[in-house]
Amino acid sequence: PEDWKMEYNKSEQYFETLRGIINLEKTLLIFKGNDTYPGSLEKLTWATIDVWWIVYDGGLLLLLPYILSKNRVWRYGTRLRLFAVITNPSIVASEVTSAITKHLRKVRISATVTAVDFTTTSIVNDMRINRSSNVEVISNYYKSKSSRHKKSPSFSNHRTVEEVFVDLLPENLPEMKNIPKVFSETSQATDVSTNITERSEPRLETAAYFNRMVKIFSNEARLVVTNMPLIDDSTDSIEFFSYVEAMSDGIDNMLLVRGAGEEVITTYG
């Protein structure tokens, strides 16, 4: 709700409804938009739907934009673009984008894939309950492998991009490269306007960083689709709404998705 800061009781009731839906292990969607979102009678001749993939929770984050792009409003000229959020500094970006592209081809979803560097942020911890280190997860995986045989991706609840496609990555993971280092003093990020005040709280700094990256890469997107921040027993309404506000500030239309974790895309050969 837009007035969540002023109407505490209203926002608290809304938040507890969200928490209840998640506790029931149901899929949850939150749309934050304005009048730039196309109406049911419009026919877009050129548009992009941008998917920012942070964690995998059943494939809904990929499936929903694809289905929407086939709707009569969007189907005449909509392109899908997937931005893979990389959180492990040992991963080679080109290997991840290649693995995702192969997966999309198997499930017959046409989309461009771009890797974006989030290795200095805590964004994974903000999206899932499992707080274990991505580096440790992948390191342990390779230590336990008994052969070099490559299998199809291993999917499970709320895994990062690199964890999902670990089976398709090289045995020896070199230093990360080829990921746009756009957020620096000399980068184009300095040219992107944002009215988010820099905050001392690490979680809100991460949300603000995400917001800046979206404004850089998806400034012309008609819709941005991404993961919904984690709601667990320790999360309160103020924390959640502050995070969502920071990550979506100045973005016209954003859809937050929290899948139930059950597989919705089943063509993995």
Side-chain angles (χ1 to χ4, degrees), residues 15-260:
F15 176 74
E16 288 304 321
T17 300
L18 300 181
R19 192 201 300 275
I21 294 172
I22 291 175
N23 288 340
L24 290 173
E25 298 184 351
K26 302 297 183 182
T27 294
L28 182 59
L29 307 176
I30 298 179
F31 176 71
K32 183 180 180 182
N34 55 32
D35 56 9
T36 64
Y37 190 80
S40 60
L41 299 180
E42 293 185 55
K43 291 183 179 180
L44 301 178
T45 56
W46 187 92
T48 60
I49 298 176
D50 287 359
V51 181
W52 284 74
W53 186 4
I54 305 170
V55 294
Y56 181 92
D57 57 0
L60 197 63
L61 195 70
L62 304 179
L63 185 61
L64 280 178
Y66 172 75
I67 294 175
L68 183 61
S69 70
K70 302 303 178 183
N71 178 271
R72 63 182 181 179
V73 174
W74 299 83
R75 66 188 178 193
Y76 298 99
T78 297
R79 296 181 303 142
L80 295 182
R81 302 189 300 182
L82 193 154
F83 294 91
V85 171
I86 304 298
T87 58
N88 184 347
S90 299
I91 293 296
V92 180
S94 59
E95 297 290 345
V96 175
T97 55
S98 176
I100 295 174
T101 300
K102 291 177 182 178
H103 168 63
L104 294 177
R105 192 177 300 122
K106 287 182 180 180
V107 297
R108 298 185 292 279
I109 293 178
S110 177
T112 61
V113 181
T114 303
V116 185
D117 183 12
F118 275 74
T119 57
T120 60
T121 74
S122 62
I123 196 161
V124 171
N125 291 340
D126 299 338
M127 299 293 165
R128 66 178 185 179
I129 297 176
N130 182 8
R131 312 285 182 172
S132 62
S133 166
N134 293 337
V135 175
E136 182 181 353
V137 168
I138 292 182
S139 175
N140 290 342
Y141 173 85
Y142 281 106
K143 288 178 181 178
S144 65
K145 288 192 70 173
S146 58
S147 69
R148 294 178 176 267
H149 177 64
K150 296 295 182 183
K151 302 176 290 184
S152 58
S154 176
F155 297 89
S156 67
N157 295 356
H158 305 106
R159 304 180 76 190
T160 65
V161 174
E162 53 265 35
E163 289 167 4
V164 168
F165 291 97
V166 65
D167 287 316
L168 299 182
L169 299 180
E171 292 291 342
N172 299 312
L173 298 176
E175 290 297 320
M176 178 162 51
K177 57 185 178 181
N178 301 329
I179 294 182
K181 296 288 186 179
V182 293
F183 184 59
S184 65
E185 291 300 321
T186 58
S187 72
Q188 59 177 321
T190 57
D191 299 327
V192 177
S193 61
T194 176
N195 56 13
I196 295 179
T197 304
E198 293 297 334
R199 303 168 175 86
S200 59
E201 298 90 338
R203 294 188 78 252
L204 292 186
E205 289 178 355
T206 296
Y209 180 85
F210 176 86
N211 179 269
R212 287 190 287 267
M213 295 300 99
V214 172
K215 287 179 176 178
I216 289 170
F217 288 98
S218 302
N219 62 315
E220 296 182 352
R222 293 300 293 268
L223 176 65
V224 173
V225 184
T226 190
N227 296 105
M228 186 183 302
L230 175 68
I231 297 178
D232 60 14
D233 293 338
S234 64
T235 309
D236 60 41
S237 61
I238 295 177
E239 180 183 16
F240 177 78
F241 290 129
S242 296
Y243 195 99
V244 171
E245 182 178 75
M247 70 186 296
S248 63
D249 182 80
I251 299 170
D252 289 333
N253 303 296
M254 178 176 285
L255 178 64
L256 302 177
V257 179
R258 188 74 181 178

